[in-house]
Amino acid sequence: MKDRAGSIPFCSRTPRAGFRFRAVLLPTLFLTVFLCACLSGAALPLPHPIPPPAEDPPPVQKRATVSESATQSAQQKPASSASTSSTQQQSAAQQSSLQQPAASSSSAVSTKATSILVNPKPLRDVSGNIIPMNGAYGGGTILLPSTYTPKPNEFRGIWVTTAYNLDFAKQPTSAEFQTAFRSLAARVAALGFNTIMFQVRPNCDAFYKSSINPWSRWLTGEEGRAPDGGFDPLPFMIAESHRHGLKFYAWLNPYRIGQTDTAAASAYLKTLSAGNFARRNPGLVARWDNNKTNKSVFFLDPGRSEVVTHIVATVREILERYRPDGIVFDDYFYPDGCDTACDAATFRKYAGKNQDLGDWRRANTELLVRSVAGTVRAFNKLNGTSIPFGVSPVGIWANRSKKMPEGSPTTKGVEAYTQSYTDVRKWVKNSWIDFVIPQVNWGFANSRAPFAGIVNWWADQVRGTKVNLYIGIGIYQGGVAAGMESPSELSNQVLYLILRREVSGTAFFPARHCFNPENNAQRTSLRTIFNSYWRAAPPSK
């Protein structure tokens, strides 16, 4: 789940009551104010700042997809030893350039001009170096708002992973499931979130009563085995979420089936329940053998129309039976690293005459997304509902290069465009989806994947569309990834999002780290976010 118009009064002061100007100072004062405004590129400063309007194991983990070895250690040095005054003017001018009015959009974010009070000190890394906005590409310095002000209808989502029971354990009985989910919903609401994104289809299965998908092994311990007493978890979870003032988004992995050791791959599909679509249709299953891990990854073949039909039917069944508050896919489309052998036979049979493998794969994922979006919108129109459909891709659509000049200011990062074969930018520009949650799981100081630069890039993409932008933040990276050691890194990321008019909220991954931070950096930032930011400024629901 991502500019506010107005001024940055870095050269102004709030007038004091009773202060008397001498006539000789007036011309100088007005000239100074005018020049400061011109230099900052902002409107004339207002006497008071206007606040923003209230507006698996590894296979499952959201991925910090820049090369894991050396990408996050490089720190950007200050470009020059300019004076403090010139640094502040450069920073203010840069921030002012961010705060341009957004084009009309269906987003709830207001387009009224605002002025944001900022900390005059540029953001620095743990070594004291000024952090450039765009990492290795340079750019202006980063200033943060001095206070947190929520946006109207601000989205505050939390990802609850059920695959491998990472965030939600198997429960022996239906009664215990209900108790566990009640506790989950209460904790989520108490922390200040307003939306649960619960994984209801982790592996071509279901956390709900379905006529076309088997019960999930992560629910009862055995795929295809129903909960006791005829219990259906999904309507209970939706109602319980609503009781706690939360929205419930059904999170689906459309293609993923599972993985196993390559040595046992030939027998893997037979381990699935008899009702599993993949077992019933082995000819519609693609397989990628990862030679580095000696694991074989199984997924529904995106190039087969029967697969699209099945996934659309899955979404339609959820809509018609349960009416969740939203439908969301994450970044698992084609597996990262999927070679030509994965779907060679399908490509030879179905690709266009002049279509290369990459374009063909992107056409396949586009067809799925457009088909699901059309199904959701048709349901809404027929039933008078407004259930949104969105996608949470890897944070980098494409690295900027001569070949891809439209890419983000990133280098050597795993790309959605070439590695999961999803042209999410195109989906956004055409408003085929209702919201997007890019997973920006890196820090401000990451020179190859800078948080601020990526957020700004996504904000530029949604401007003028009907797509709401929520920024995905990887809580698990705090205090772990290079460049994210600061105890204020994650809280500063949440604070930074205020500067971008197009950003309508955020989504935290994973839930377990929100409840039980694994280090001091995570603990400190989350305490600030939950206790200082969100508790003091709850969002509308």
Side-chain angles (χ1 to χ4, degrees):
M1 23 66 224
K2 310 326 283 77
D3 256 317
R4 291 184 206 283
S7 62
I8 308 291
F10 72 97
C11 59
S12 67
R13 293 280 190 267
T14 301
R16 298 179 183 175
F19 183 79
R20 299 177 183 276
F21 290 101
R22 295 182 181 181
V24 69
L25 294 178
L26 287 174
T28 302
L29 176 63
F30 283 110
L31 179 59
T32 300
V33 172
F34 177 79
L35 289 175
C36 286
C38 291
L39 287 172
S40 68
L44 288 177
L46 300 171
H48 296 280
I50 302 175
E55 279 219 293
D56 255 329
V60 179
Q61 184 79 8
K62 296 287 174 180
R63 295 160 288 189
T65 47
V66 171
S67 303
E68 296 292 336
S69 56
T71 61
Q72 299 185 359
S73 59
Q75 303 295 326
Q76 186 72 18
K77 303 289 184 181
S80 65
S81 57
S83 66
T84 302
S85 176
S86 62
T87 298
Q88 291 180 3
Q89 290 189 14
Q90 175 195 10
S91 302
Q94 186 273 333
Q95 290 288 351
S96 179
S97 70
L98 290 181
Q99 300 180 355
Q100 300 301 317
S104 60
S105 167
S106 63
S107 169
V109 182
S110 170
T111 57
K112 294 181 180 179
T114 56
S115 175
I116 300 173
L117 183 64
V118 295
N119 183 343
K121 296 180 180 180
L123 192 62
R124 296 176 181 269
D125 62 24
V126 291
S127 299
N129 300 318
I130 294 176
I131 301 174
M133 180 71 65
N134 295 322
Y137 283 90
T141 53
I142 302 166
L143 300 180
L144 298 176
S146 59
T147 58
Y148 180 83
T149 307
K151 301 179 182 183
N153 303 312
E154 182 174 87
F155 184 93
R156 298 178 184 175
I158 184 170
W159 296 96
V160 180
T161 308
T162 59
Y164 298 90
N165 299 114
L166 291 177
D167 290 333
F168 196 82
K170 287 190 290 285
Q171 304 299 327
T173 67
S174 297
E176 288 172 290
F177 180 97
Q178 293 176 54
T179 299
F181 189 84
R182 286 192 187 100
S183 176
L184 171 72
R187 296 180 74 182
V188 168
L191 292 178
F193 292 99
N194 59 17
T195 305
I196 290 180
M197 293 179 288
F198 192 94
Q199 195 175 28
V200 301
R201 177 188 166 85
N203 295 94
C204 208
D205 50 7
F207 264 68
Y208 54 91
K209 187 175 182 179
S210 171
S211 61
I212 55 178
N213 292 291
W215 289 102
S216 176
R217 74 196 76 172
W218 313 119
L219 173 62
T220 63
E222 178 186 346
E223 186 175 281
R225 181 159 62 105
D228 64 85
F231 174 64
D232 188 345
L234 189 49
F236 168 80
M237 291 191 289
I238 294 173
E240 191 65 21
S241 296
H242 292 172
R243 193 174 72 83
H244 284 87
L246 302 167
K247 291 183 178 180
F248 184 97
Y249 278 33
W251 165 20
L252 291 77
N253 294 104
Y255 299 125
R256 188 175 63 186
I257 302 169
Q259 70 172 5
T260 189
D261 294 336
T262 299
S266 60
Y268 175 73
L269 293 181
K270 294 179 181 179
T271 67
L272 304 178
S273 72
N276 193 298
F277 180 83
R279 181 170 179 176
R280 290 187 286 110
N281 300 276
L284 302 179
V285 174
R287 168 182 161 185
W288 171 50
D289 296 330
N290 187 336
N291 296 325
K292 293 181 180 180
T293 63
N294 292 318
K295 296 285 186 180
S296 292
V297 177
F298 292 82
F299 57 104
L300 299 180
D301 190 340
R304 298 297 298 267
S305 62
E306 301 95 326
V307 167
V308 175
T309 299
H310 173 69
I311 297 171
V312 167
T314 294
V315 172
R316 183 183 296 112
E317 181 181 57
I318 293 173
L319 292 170
E320 292 176 346
R321 291 187 178 183
Y322 303 106
R323 299 196 180 190
D325 299 302
I327 299 287
V328 60
F329 291 173
D330 66 10
D331 57 325
Y332 285 98
F333 288 87
Y334 282 90
D336 294 344
C338 181
D339 55 26
T340 57
C342 289
D343 51 0
T346 309
F347 175 66
R348 287 194 300 269
K349 185 174 183 179
Y350 295 105
K353 184 177 181 180
N354 298 314
Q355 218 173 11
D356 66 23
L357 181 64
D359 289 339
W360 176 73
R361 286 179 173 177
R362 281 184 288 273
N364 294 335
T365 58
E366 177 183 312
L367 176 61
L368 173 66
V369 166
R370 295 187 69 178
S371 299
V372 170
T375 298
V376 174
R377 290 175 182 177
F379 178 86
N380 285 334
K381 184 176 181 179
L382 181 64
N383 294 278
T385 53
S386 55
I387 299 171
F389 165 61
V391 175
S392 180
V394 61
I396 300 173
W397 170 72
N399 298 295
R400 186 178 300 170
S401 64
K402 291 182 179 179
K403 190 175 181 180
M404 298 291 286
E406 310 94 339
S408 56
T410 53
T411 58
K412 298 182 179 180
V414 170
E415 305 172 325
Y417 190 82
T418 60
Q419 286 163 284
S420 61
Y421 297 94
T422 51
D423 191 351
V424 185
R425 180 175 181 267
K426 182 179 180 181
W427 305 348
V428 167
K429 291 296 185 182
N430 287 279
S431 296
W432 291 336
I433 54 180
D434 300 308
F435 63 90
V436 62
I437 313 177
Q439 300 168 31
V440 191
N441 297 333
W442 307 282
F444 287 107
N446 189 313
S447 63
R448 297 189 181 185
F451 178 84
I454 298 173
V455 169
N456 297 343
W457 185 89
W458 280 103
D460 292 341
Q461 306 316 305
V462 302
R463 188 184 299 120
T465 72
K466 297 180 180 180
V467 179
N468 284 318
L469 175 60
Y470 315 132
I471 298 299
I473 293 180
I475 302 301
Y476 69 97
Q477 292 283 64
V480 176
M484 295 188 70
E485 301 90 349
S486 170
S488 60
E489 174 69 30
L490 296 170
S491 55
N492 281 344
Q493 290 186 3
V494 171
L495 204 56
Y496 179 76
L497 301 183
I498 297 174
L499 294 175
R500 296 304 316 215
R501 176 183 298 278
E502 298 87 351
V503 178
S504 301
T506 186
F508 287 5
F509 178 91
R512 60 189 179 278
H513 286 236
C514 295
F515 301 145
N516 299 295
E518 65 177 7
N519 56 52
N520 184 61
Q522 294 175 16
R523 188 176 302 108
T524 301
S525 267
L526 289 174
R527 185 182 297 119
T528 299
I529 295 167
F530 297 149
N531 295 342
S532 299
Y533 296 169
W534 288 3
R535 183 171 295 172
S540 57
K541 296 179 179 180

